[in-house]
Amino acid sequence: MKNLKVAFYVTGGIAVYKSVNLMRELIKRGAEVKVAMTTSATEFVTPLTFQVLSKHAVHIDTFSEEDPQYVQHIHLADWADIAIVAPATANTIAKLANGIGDNFVTSALMATTSPIFLVPAMNEHMLEHPATQQNIRTLKSRKAYVMEPDTGFLAEGYSGKGRFPESEMIIEELEGYLLAYKGERPLKGKKIVVTAGGTKERIDPVRFISNDSSGKMGHALADAAWKKGAEVTLITASTLPTRKQIKRVQVDSAKEMYNHVNESFETLDVLIMAAAVSDYAPLNQEEHKMKKKNNVTIELQKNPDILKEMGQKKVNQFLVGFAAETENIEAYALKKLKEKHADLIVANDVGKKDRGFNTNDNEVTIYSNVDQPVTISLTKKDEIAENIIDIVIDRTE
Ligand code: PMT
């Protein structure tokens, strides 16, 4: 979103109050936003609110041409990298689909050659009306992006489809749309499975053996792969959120994780094992909460080594494993690369407090059979993930 020039068109529905927050979120992410409103939109929220927050005058009247240098609605359309219509009412959608430019917003949209992203919000029956549905289809056929409205409690007092989605959801979808629009989707058509988080091995209904993995590294990798166009499944033992375009499979134990990876393995292109899989699980899981005793012995049995097993059965799949080490990092990483038949091993030092487990940052060295090791110095896990995915792209092209 950084430096993205957004022409933000606000049309008249109750969801206008929510679009204020959407605009703020865009600005927070580095976008420059200029707003135009229909007169109906100004009935719900005053232009001053948008002006103060965007730090630009708000356009409403096509004919108040205060700067003789420019025709304002054409100038705004030409200036923007993207036009966002939020909320987009049935009326404005209809006008846009039928080439009507009878106010500042619709005239500017008619003059727009940059991508158009619409966030419809209206009453459910208005949304379902055949005319609205036909108009949405028309706009989509012209390559405008029309977001699916949310379902839930409507201003009318009943539940239905037509709600303005949460800002986070809109921004996630917008990011994907922008990447697709720019054609930066080298992983399009590729199926990638990422594992994340520390597995939990149950002792009894309330106790388990686990580790410090937060899932941040795995979730960042899933996100980075999705941004590059992959069809991503995230098999996670973490409670961190996921964007809705990523298929999420929630698991607890190593065995559950194994089953899901194994099920999908034949059809996937890339497997990234960022999860901290417990090497052992209690041999027996107690049905009821264990009662206190002075000494307790829990017998453990070895869990399946998911990466190793997939390494043995791989055909064309590209395997990325991690190595969480506290000493002899290079030697152990190279051993894992060989023994697990991985294509890449991402080694991290988990003995340091500022990286590895449950931190926002990491430092890794990536080992492979074909290239020299690549070190990515201490930085955000998001950035590490992007670098790893770029290497995956290079190696799988
Ligand atoms: O989740 P975060 O808080 O962000 O922390 C990130 C991380 C430190 C967990 C991550 O960067 C990391 O190192 N993940 C791998 C942790 C691990 O289990 O490492 P390992 O060296 O024990 O295992 C080697 C590889 O085999 C790993 O890819 C692991 O997923 C896999 N493995 C391990 C055991 C097992 N039974 N099955 C496996 O597939």
Side-chain angles (χ1 to χ4, degrees):
M1 297 282 155
K2 204 152 176 45
N3 302 326
L4 185 74
K5 292 184 192 140
V6 178
F8 195 84
Y9 299 102
V10 187
T11 69
I14 182 63
V16 173
Y17 80 95
K18 287 185 168 177
S19 72
V20 175
N21 185 49
L22 174 62
M23 183 196 66
R24 291 199 69 196
E25 290 299 324
L26 292 169
I27 294 169
K28 264 200 226 161
R29 286 166 172 78
E32 187 182 354
V33 181
K34 292 185 182 176
V35 180
M37 300 173 81
T38 60
T39 43
S40 324
T42 65
E43 298 283 337
F44 293 93
V45 172
T46 65
L48 190 61
T49 308
F50 286 98
Q51 179 179 307
V52 170
L53 295 170
S54 70
K55 302 197 168 43
H56 288 288
V58 173
H59 300 285
I60 299 159
D61 180 4
T62 323
F63 300 104
S64 80
E65 297 286 6
E66 274 152 24
D67 182 353
Q69 290 261 315
Y70 303 109
V71 175
Q72 289 302 324
H73 64 280
I74 305 293
H75 185 54
L76 180 62
D78 286 347
W79 168 84
D81 298 321
I82 186 166
I84 298 177
V85 191
T89 57
N91 187 42
T92 294
I93 287 172
K95 285 181 184 174
L96 197 53
N98 290 286
I100 297 169
D102 64 348
N103 59 37
F104 189 100
V105 168
T106 49
S107 303
L109 285 168
M110 286 288 296
T112 296
T113 52
S114 54
I116 299 181
F117 184 96
L118 295 106
V119 189
M122 64 194 76
N123 169 268
E124 183 175 39
H125 306 308
M126 291 173 83
L127 178 68
E128 280 171 358
H129 193 285
T132 308
Q133 288 301 314
Q134 178 59 47
N135 290 331
I136 289 175
R137 279 195 294 277
T138 303
L139 291 180
K140 283 183 177 172
S141 73
R142 291 189 202 138
K143 302 279 178 261
Y145 189 94
V146 186
M147 216 181 142
E148 224 21 57
D150 249 6
T151 300
F153 194 70
L154 299 171
E156 292 78 352
Y158 53 84
S159 195
K161 191 168 175 181
R163 272 167 61 91
F164 192 81
E166 295 308 318
S167 301
E168 283 294 323
M169 302 266 291
I170 299 173
I171 285 170
E172 277 182 7
E173 216 152 310
L174 181 62
E175 279 175 348
Y177 171 64
L178 283 168
L179 289 167
Y181 189 84
K182 285 193 245 157
E184 290 170 8
R185 309 216 104 188
L187 289 176
K188 194 164 188 311
K190 293 260 196 277
K191 285 191 180 156
I192 298 193
V193 168
V194 182
T195 65
T199 62
K200 289 179 184 165
E201 312 301 332
R202 290 269 159 208
I203 298 168
D204 69 14
V206 295
R207 301 181 179 96
F208 55 81
I209 298 170
S210 191
N211 55 63
D212 279 330
S213 167
S214 61
K216 285 180 185 171
M217 194 63 248
H219 281 236
L221 279 157
D223 223 43
W226 174 79
K227 283 184 180 160
K228 294 289 181 180
E231 189 188 312
V232 182
T233 301
L234 177 66
I235 303 174
T236 182
S238 159
T239 53
L240 290 175
T242 340
R243 64 174 74 235
K244 79 168 193 215
Q245 296 91 340
I246 290 176
K247 184 176 168 211
R248 181 187 184 117
V249 180
Q250 194 68 40
V251 295
D252 247 10
S253 66
K255 282 203 186 94
E256 273 180 76
M257 188 172 273
Y258 170 83
N259 288 339
H260 286 288
V261 171
N262 197 32
E263 247 168 48
S264 55
F265 191 69
E266 213 176 297
T267 58
L268 62 80
D269 298 291
V270 181
L271 171 65
I272 305 179
M273 288 291 307
V277 187
S278 297
D279 289 318
Y280 298 94
L283 183 60
N284 299 308
Q285 191 184 314
E286 301 295 329
E287 196 184 335
H288 297 288
K289 186 180 168 207
M290 282 168 72
K291 288 290 162 207
K292 278 196 197 75
K293 292 181 210 154
N294 277 346
N295 294 307
V296 177
T297 303
I298 298 169
E299 198 176 343
L300 300 177
Q301 68 174 350
K302 211 158 189 306
N303 268 329
D305 186 326
I306 308 172
L307 182 60
K308 194 170 178 184
E309 283 205 31
M310 299 307 129
Q312 279 158 359
K313 64 193 251 188
K314 79 169 176 180
V315 185
N316 294 315
Q317 292 89 343
F318 190 83
L319 296 196
V320 182
F322 272 69
E325 310 294 350
T326 55
E327 56 173 352
N328 301 331
I329 296 181
E330 175 158 359
Y332 289 141
L334 289 172
K335 192 164 181 264
K336 279 176 182 161
L337 184 71
K338 194 166 167 220
E339 283 180 0
K340 303 201 184 206
H341 301 281
D343 296 284
L344 299 179
I345 283 285
V346 182
N348 45 188
D349 185 344
V350 291
K352 293 186 177 154
K353 282 215 154 47
D354 60 349
R355 62 197 70 180
F357 282 108
N358 201 11
T359 52
N360 290 329
D361 300 337
N362 209 358
E363 176 167 301
V364 300
T365 301
I366 303 169
Y367 296 91
S368 84
N369 283 328
V370 294
D371 296 313
Q372 289 300 311
V374 177
T375 297
I376 306 165
S377 306
L378 193 65
T379 185
K380 298 266 159 276
K381 281 181 178 167
D382 290 346
E383 210 171 301
I384 302 262
E386 280 167 20
N387 278 281
I388 295 171
I389 294 298
D390 282 344
I391 294 175
V392 170
I393 292 168
D394 277 353
R395 291 283 308 273
T396 55
E397 250 165 9

